[in-house]
Amino acid sequence: MKKILSILIVFLPWTIKRFLLIKIWKYEIHPTAKIGLAYIFPKNLIMKEGSKIEHFNVAVNLHLIILNKNSSINRSNWITGFPINTKSEHFKHQKDRESKLILDDEASITKKHHIDCTNSIIIGKYSVVAGYSSQFLTHSINIIENRQDSLPIVIGDYCFVGTSCVILGGAKLPSFSVLGAKSLLNKQFTEEYHLYGGNPAKKIKLLPEETKFFKRKSRYTI
């Protein structure tokens, strides 16, 4: 019954949809937050002031999604996870695994990206996953152990992820950094104010600290 209701809710006016999501699903949704024509049903959802999820997004099988103040998920993104505390043999060895997506204040995800939250993905303040068709893949097969494995992904504050990138589990893009278009990020970097790029990504050049993108007060760029 709840599954059928979740489909019907997608098409309801926002005021009614918000009421039902809070009443039945126990989600925490600020009065100024909004979800468009989208199927967003993690186990837990927290949407802070001014946050929004646009049309044609799907988010399923996650334990938690948090959109902090003025963060946004734009159109047509596919967001998946793998539930925790199940009877499945998959990821049974990872007792502390967290299937969650967190966008910090003013962070944004643009259009047509695939976000795999089998393990946690954290996108820092004022960071943007730009362009189209990037893949965040927190899980894969560990060929040595012959089993599914997962690792978190961290994108720091004031980062720019270019179009069509692949970010693998265990990767970290440090704050005040740019990941060039079509790059593969498969490791943790630590040096801020750099352009990273390539397949696999490597440090390319230093970026000036006075770069205006790194000093934004809003997720919008005019």
Side-chain angles (χ1 to χ4, degrees):
M1 183 64 183
K2 198 172 181 180
K3 183 72 171 179
I4 296 172
L5 182 58
S6 69
I7 296 171
L8 295 176
I9 282 177
V10 170
F11 302 97
L12 294 177
W14 172 238
T15 52
I16 300 173
K17 184 191 299 187
R18 178 177 177 270
F19 173 81
L20 293 173
L21 291 175
I22 293 171
K23 188 74 173 178
I24 299 174
W25 275 265
K26 309 301 181 184
Y27 290 166
E28 299 177 33
I29 304 175
H30 191 275
T32 62
K34 188 172 183 180
I35 300 174
L37 187 68
Y39 191 86
I40 309 297
F41 287 97
K43 182 175 178 58
N44 300 286
L45 175 65
I46 300 172
M47 295 183 69
K48 301 289 183 68
E49 176 185 352
S51 62
K52 65 177 182 177
I53 300 174
E54 296 281 11
H55 301 317
F56 313 130
N57 287 290
V58 173
V60 292
N61 298 326
L62 293 83
H63 183 73
L64 174 66
I65 294 177
I66 300 177
L67 271 69
N68 283 298
K69 184 178 178 181
N70 293 332
S71 60
S72 70
I73 298 175
N74 292 337
R75 296 190 180 203
S76 306
N77 295 286
W78 186 263
I79 304 168
T80 61
F82 193 92
I84 60 176
N85 301 322
T86 70
K87 294 181 180 179
S88 172
E89 292 298 314
H90 293 310
F91 311 107
K92 195 174 181 179
H93 63 292
Q94 294 190 304
K95 305 297 184 184
D96 298 326
R97 180 179 64 87
E98 296 181 286
S99 180
K100 66 182 182 182
L101 173 64
I102 299 177
L103 273 67
D104 213 334
D105 295 353
E106 305 282 349
S108 62
I109 296 172
T110 57
K111 299 179 181 179
K112 296 184 178 179
H113 302 295
H114 180 194
I115 313 293
D116 157 40
C117 299
T118 299
N119 212 313
S120 68
I121 296 177
I122 299 174
I123 299 175
K125 295 178 182 179
Y126 297 92
S127 288
V128 56
V129 180
Y132 304 88
S133 303
S134 285
Q135 299 179 61
F136 286 64
L137 304 174
T138 61
H139 88 283
S140 65
I141 293 176
N142 182 328
I143 60 172
I144 303 300
E145 299 294 336
N146 190 35
R147 66 184 179 193
Q148 297 281 349
D149 218 342
S150 70
L151 288 168
I153 291 172
V154 177
I155 305 297
D157 299 337
Y158 290 92
C159 287
F160 181 94
V161 177
T163 192
S164 300
C165 288
V166 175
I167 297 93
L168 300 183
K172 179 180 180 180
L173 186 66
S175 296
F176 307 103
S177 296
V178 174
L179 182 64
K182 294 187 177 295
S183 295
L184 167 65
L185 187 66
N186 64 349
K187 61 183 288 187
Q188 293 190 12
F189 289 96
T190 59
E191 294 185 64
E192 298 179 351
Y193 296 102
H194 277 83
L195 167 64
Y196 296 92
N199 186 355
K202 61 182 179 181
K203 186 172 62 177
I204 295 177
K205 70 175 183 178
L206 185 67
L207 299 174
E209 293 189 18
E210 61 271 19
T211 298
K212 291 183 179 180
F213 183 87
F214 299 150
K215 298 181 179 298
R216 294 178 302 141
K217 302 298 183 184
S218 167
R219 71 172 182 265
Y220 295 107
T221 300
I222 59 173

